[in-house]
Amino acid sequence: MQNTSLYGRLLDFVKNGTPAIVYTLIDGNGYPGMPEGGRLLLAGDEKYGSLGLPQLDERMLARAGHIFSQSAPSTDLIEVDTAGPNKEIFKFTLLEDLYFPQKKLIIFGGGHVAQPLAEIASILGFVTVVIDDRADFVSTERFPRADKLICASLPAGLPEDEVNSLTSVVIITRGHQYDRLCLKSVIHSKACYIGMIGSSGKVRQTFQSLMAEGISKKTLEKVSAPIGLDLGGQKPGEIALSILAEIVAHGNEGSCKPMKYVKAGVLA
């Protein structure tokens, strides 16, 4: 495979929120017939290119399975031992490039909860996007740490390529009619988390309306609504914290239990 094609596929994976690794052969250490510069792209269960030796490709495939859980991109030189045709051991030097697309948080609605929500999300390393149809509510003064501010009608202002498998969507608009439209626009997306604010009654009403439009109950079950964990707080910052806590727990498969119970036995 041409390197241009390989890096084209890498760009596709990054845009779709899929972690990927590119291995480049730097030194074949005299292995017969091994040209330097061979490249192998691994992403999920997919493989593109080759380092020039099937058993070396398989070693890297096995290694990748152990490192895809890392949370940050990195570039390292690694050495890998592989047996030659006469069972002698060759030490290959490879460049290992890890590409981990950033987590993204899309916030529909630029109200009082959205401000601390975007602030905390930025601290946690999320790329933050805030959308509202009121220019005054998506200003840099209100959201100094947001990565993108979109002033457009809800939900039409959200570009189709903004949502991938690492995207969390929070719907906290100024009215339930807007919440319903925003939820309808993302319910079939690749988003890893979708949450919507509202009382139990309003959420039930919204769900019933969407089911009447043909959206299945099973599809709606993936929506976190009412949104957030029960922290007991009612201030905007407290609500924002409860939302981010739920998103982080969802992404890490956390139990949401106090650590004193998860790590029980300290006083035993």
Side-chain angles (χ1 to χ4, degrees), residues 229 244-256:
L229 300 181
L244 260 302
E246 183 179 40
I247 291 173
V248 171
H250 177 82
N252 295 310
E253 299 182 352
S255 68
C256 297

Side-chain angles (χ1 to χ4, degrees), residues 28-45:
N29 197 24
Y31 192 98
M34 280 286 286
E36 295 175 0
R39 286 184 171 84
L40 174 67
L41 166 63
L42 302 174
D45 296 327

Side-chain angles (χ1 to χ4, degrees), residues 9-170:
R9 290 297 297 140
L10 173 62
L11 182 59
D12 290 339
F13 286 127
V14 172
K15 285 182 177 179
N16 290 328
T18 303
I21 304 175
V22 175
Y23 290 103
T24 303
L25 181 63
I26 303 299
D27 186 357
N29 197 24
Y31 192 98
M34 280 286 286
E36 295 175 0
R39 286 184 171 84
L40 174 67
L41 166 63
L42 302 174
D45 296 327
E46 301 187 53
K47 180 176 75 170
Y48 296 87
S50 175
L51 295 168
L53 190 66
Q55 56 264 44
L56 185 57
D57 290 350
E58 291 302 315
R59 287 284 302 276
M60 295 303 97
L61 186 60
R63 175 182 172 88
H66 295 291
I67 63 177
F68 271 131
S69 60
Q70 295 189 27
S71 59
S74 65
T75 299
D76 295 296
L77 280 175
I78 62 172
E79 292 187 338
V80 180
D81 294 336
T82 300
N86 298 316
K87 298 190 183 300
E88 67 272 48
I89 299 300
F90 288 85
K91 189 180 294 291
F92 296 98
T93 302
L94 303 170
L95 184 67
E96 181 179 65
D97 285 319
L98 278 59
Y99 297 86
F100 288 85
Q102 276 188 278
K103 299 174 293 184
K104 182 186 295 184
L105 176 64
I106 294 175
I107 306 170
F108 281 109
H112 56 292
V113 174
Q115 287 181 280
L117 183 63
E119 187 79 11
I120 301 171
S122 179
I123 293 172
L124 294 177
F126 285 83
V127 173
T128 55
V129 180
V130 184
I131 307 170
D132 201 294
D133 57 355
R134 301 163 294 176
D136 292 346
F137 282 76
V138 281
S139 65
T140 54
E141 289 77 20
R142 286 177 62 83
F143 297 98
R145 300 185 64 157
D147 295 278
K148 184 181 291 187
L149 299 171
I150 300 175
C151 181
S153 60
L154 298 171
L158 179 66
E160 291 185 7
D161 60 357
E162 282 287 358
V163 180
N164 59 38
S165 61
L166 292 181
T167 302
S168 298
V169 178
V170 171

